[in-house]
Amino acid sequence: MAENENKDKGPVKPPEPNLKPKFNSNWIFAVLIVSFLAINLFYGGKATPKLQTRELKQMIANKEIERIVIVNKEYAEIYLRKEVVESEKYPDILKPNNGRMGFGVPKPHYTHNIGDLATFEAFLKDEQVSAGYGDKEMIYPETDTRHNYIGEILGWTLPFILLIFLWLFMMRRMAGGAGGGAGGIFSVGKSKAQIFDKESNVKINFNDVAGLEEAKTEVMEIVDFLKNPKKYTALGGKIPKGALLIGPPGTGKTLLAKAVAGEANVPFFSISGSDFVEMFVGVGASRVRDLFKQAKEKAPCIVFIDEIDAVGRARGKNVNFGSNDERENTLNQLLTEMDGFGTNMGVIILAATNRADILDRALLRAGRFDRQIHVELPELTEREAIFKVHLRPIKLEKGFDVTFLAKQTPGFSGADIANVCNEAALIAARKNKNIVERQDFLDAIDRIVGGLERKSKIISMGEKKTIAYHEAGHATVSWLLEHASPLVKVTIIPRGRALGAAWYLPEERQITTSEQLLDEMAYALGGRACELLMFGKISTGAVNDLEKVTKQAYAMVSYFGMSEKIGNISFYDSSGQSDYGFTKPYSEKTAELIDREVKQIIDESFERATSVLKSNVEGLTKLAELLLEKEVIFSEDLEKIFGRSKADLAREQREKAAGNKIQAAVENTGEVLSPEPAAPEAETPEAETPDPAAPDQPEEENTPSQ
């Protein structure tokens, strides 16, 4: 890329070294540990053994005691005679080198719990008299009062010290290790943006972003703005101040921003919109100010705000239902900072959201976000490129067809495709394979779209028959209608919440005609119609079908203007910021008319499905019985029963008519004319093997009554 030529010429300011010494709280813990060890060294050592009353009597009788000291009227310290110690009669006593406390204080050989002082003194006197002690031999106990000053001090101060340390710890955690300043309570208003510069090892570049060619072009141009600003300013142009990435979830908005961080040789600030929101008043606005302060210091640079809708939601909504002052203050500060830059300050704002409809209008105006880059779901060629990126680390079978996978995943986002590749590898590993095969990817698509197979689910024979005829009704109607989506397979194996499903491969089209919508509604109602036709009763299994059909019918009438009685009127609000908060944008009379039109459309679609099934009862029965036998059938099975699908035949007729028109023009004029464009139709995938691909989504979740 052209950008890489100037990779080492970016005007990045080197970070200034911070020579100010910083206090490390770990030193406090080190001092406490050393103090504890010193105290233990001077006053600790081997513990003094305790003496039982029986042993004390024996020592008095043998005249082995030199003196007795009563400490704090609680216990007695027993000191033996020197010759007794040297005789090693008592091996458990301390040796001379261990029998000393710190600072030259002698340590007793034994201790004895005295209980009551008067009772102990009487006991000593009686035992000595019994042993025949003379007046000069009598041992009179000494008394001593000792204070453990260190223990008393620690007893008073240690709880406060622990509380202080706990408070400091909580304040530092509350600050969240915020960058841009020293840690502690005072950093709570600092920006939490992660900074990527030339020293940061960002491994993602534009080569890792497959598809999104238009979006990449826009973003690469922004990077070039920062690298070669004179190229654009020399002609009188101004560097754009911001670009907003808009698109559904999983389409690669954040990945595109990461690629910018990897490609651009300028500082890159990354922060989430929710990081501005805090429980403290004024913290959000403070973090915005700090973020832009850091950005101005490191200009030229890029600031990326992910999920900006968390802080950029439209102001003034629901003012009577509680206050959002803190979020609005944060948004106001963001608007001020974005509009406060000089012409060529070199700070560009990138933001990503999938809720552009709820953003504040002031945020979207020119001068703040000058460009809005739409990141849409990938097309066929883009999906193929995305598959190639995610298949790099996967061991594939020889001759693996990536194009086939791209055709089987219409409507999949980049994140969905990454999930498919990962699931396929896991499935292959679960089967103890050395390589990942095509069937593993098909199983992965089935699992992602429909859920995990539940073959252990207990279903009665009557319910199974109902499910089989329900799915056979879907398949029959769709096979015999001209504008239906190509059928891939039909199954009555429970997956996820569905007890059965008819799987289709939706066409990739940009517009949809009313005929196509009506055909989709007809085969969606084919399951309910088949139940009523074959069993004379209906079940709850069509709840998902009815939901889909109802929404589709209301959209036809209220949004698409496909009703003659309503006319070319649309009540759809694409901005999402209409003033109709709690009222409908039409009268009650119009609402009643809309309801009647929706019911008429659904009833007519149901009658069409019933008519198709009545005309093909024999084929319907064969299909249902085959489904009960095999549990899973494919498009070639329907072709054996009903012949070629009507959609295939109609497509061939259109192609033949276009070819005849061209031939006639060549014969008459001798010139080759380009054919007129046919209606937007996608090619029906050929069923090469009994393992066709799973569709983008199951047509319905059939849940018969439980």
Side-chain angles (χ1 to χ4, degrees), residues 29-46:
F29 296 101
V31 171
L32 292 176
I33 293 173
V34 172
S35 302
F36 176 78
L37 293 176
I39 294 171
N40 193 43
L41 177 63
F42 286 107
Y43 293 96
K46 188 176 180 181

Side-chain angles (χ1 to χ4, degrees), residues 209-476:
V209 184
L212 308 178
E213 297 302 328
E214 294 81 5
K216 280 199 296 185
T217 302
E218 293 275 358
V219 175
M220 289 168 67
E221 190 177 57
I222 292 174
V223 174
D224 194 45
F225 281 154
L226 296 176
K227 291 183 176 182
N228 305 299
K230 294 183 180 180
K231 175 182 176 182
Y232 302 91
T233 57
L235 301 176
K238 298 179 181 179
I239 297 177
K241 293 185 179 180
L244 183 63
L245 303 175
I246 304 172
T251 50
K253 301 183 296 294
T254 305
L255 180 65
L256 194 61
K258 291 181 179 178
V260 173
E263 289 285 342
N265 192 30
V266 296
F268 185 92
F269 293 81
S270 178
I271 190 172
S272 174
S274 60
D275 289 336
F276 295 112
V277 182
E278 192 62 74
M279 62 179 291
F280 303 111
V281 177
V283 170
S286 176
R287 289 177 177 175
V288 172
R289 287 191 295 268
D290 187 70
L291 171 63
F292 282 86
K293 179 183 177 182
Q294 295 181 50
K296 290 177 182 179
E297 292 175 352
K298 291 184 175 291
C301 65
I302 297 175
V303 177
F304 174 64
I305 305 175
D306 199 10
E307 305 295 344
I308 195 174
D309 52 276
V311 69
R313 190 181 296 266
R315 295 164 293 177
K317 298 292 185 180
N318 302 330
V319 293
N320 297 326
F321 296 93
S323 176
N324 288 322
D325 291 339
E326 175 61 17
R327 182 184 56 78
E328 292 188 2
N329 289 339
T330 305
L331 176 58
N332 292 336
Q333 186 64 46
L334 180 62
L335 296 175
T336 303
E337 294 289 344
M338 290 187 66
D339 202 32
F341 290 138
T343 304
N344 294 314
M345 287 294 293
V347 180
I348 294 181
I349 313 298
L350 288 181
T353 181
N354 51 29
R355 299 289 308 279
D357 56 316
I358 65 173
L359 293 179
D360 195 277
R361 290 192 178 102
L363 194 63
L364 300 176
R365 75 160 177 84
R368 290 195 174 106
F369 285 113
D370 301 289
R371 299 185 175 185
Q372 295 186 15
I373 304 173
H374 291 271
V375 185
E376 303 295 341
L377 292 172
E379 302 291 338
L380 177 62
T381 56
E382 294 175 331
R383 289 198 304 273
E384 184 176 351
I386 296 172
F387 264 113
K388 290 179 179 179
V389 171
H390 292 293
L391 290 176
R392 289 174 187 171
I394 297 178
K395 297 180 180 179
L396 301 174
E397 63 179 347
K398 292 183 179 180
F400 188 82
D401 188 6
V402 182
T403 306
F404 171 78
L405 282 183
K407 291 180 179 179
Q408 309 309 311
T409 52
F412 276 42
S413 65
D416 295 329
I417 292 174
N419 194 21
V420 168
C421 297
N422 185 61
E423 284 290 341
L426 296 179
I427 291 173
R430 197 177 299 120
K431 297 178 181 178
N432 298 321
K433 295 182 179 180
N434 296 323
I435 56 174
V436 185
E437 300 174 345
R438 167 173 161 173
Q439 185 60 42
D440 298 324
F441 284 93
L442 299 179
D443 295 340
I445 296 174
D446 290 351
R447 180 169 183 175
I448 291 172
V449 175
L452 186 64
E453 287 187 357
R454 298 185 298 165
K455 294 184 177 181
S456 60
K457 190 175 182 66
I458 300 176
I459 302 176
S460 65
M461 194 59 200
E463 290 178 334
K464 193 173 183 179
K465 188 176 182 180
T466 301
I467 297 170
Y469 273 91
H470 183 105
E471 302 303 333
H474 285 305
T476 301

Side-chain angles (χ1 to χ4, degrees), residues 53-95:
T53 304
R54 174 179 54 81
E55 297 171 339
L56 179 59
K57 288 181 179 181
Q58 187 66 32
M59 288 181 179
I60 295 174
N62 296 335
K63 298 181 180 180
E64 297 172 344
I65 299 176
E66 182 178 357
R67 67 189 182 103
I68 298 175
V69 181
I70 298 175
V71 182
N72 297 334
K73 300 180 180 181
E74 296 178 355
Y75 64 94
E77 294 180 346
I78 312 298
Y79 296 85
L80 302 180
R81 295 180 183 274
K82 185 178 181 181
E83 58 270 17
V84 177
V85 176
E86 293 176 352
S87 66
E88 297 184 359
K89 180 179 179 180
Y90 301 102
D92 59 334
I93 63 176
L94 299 176
K95 302 297 180 184

Side-chain angles (χ1 to χ4, degrees), residues 630-698:
K630 293 185 175 181
E631 293 188 335
V632 180
I633 59 175
F634 302 95
S635 56
E636 58 265 27
D637 297 316
L638 276 85
E639 188 171 347
K640 292 178 181 178
I641 297 175
F642 298 105
R644 296 283 303 279
S645 68
K646 199 167 182 180
D648 287 346
L649 296 175
R651 178 172 55 83
E652 291 179 359
Q653 289 178 359
R654 288 193 298 269
E655 293 176 353
K656 186 177 180 181
N660 293 335
K661 187 176 181 180
I662 295 174
Q663 185 65 29
V666 171
E667 293 177 354
N668 294 332
T669 63
E671 299 178 358
V672 179
L673 303 178
S674 59
E676 296 182 358
E681 296 278 347
E683 295 184 1
T684 305
E686 297 179 3
E688 301 175 351
T689 65
D691 302 316
D696 171 49
Q697 57 184 1

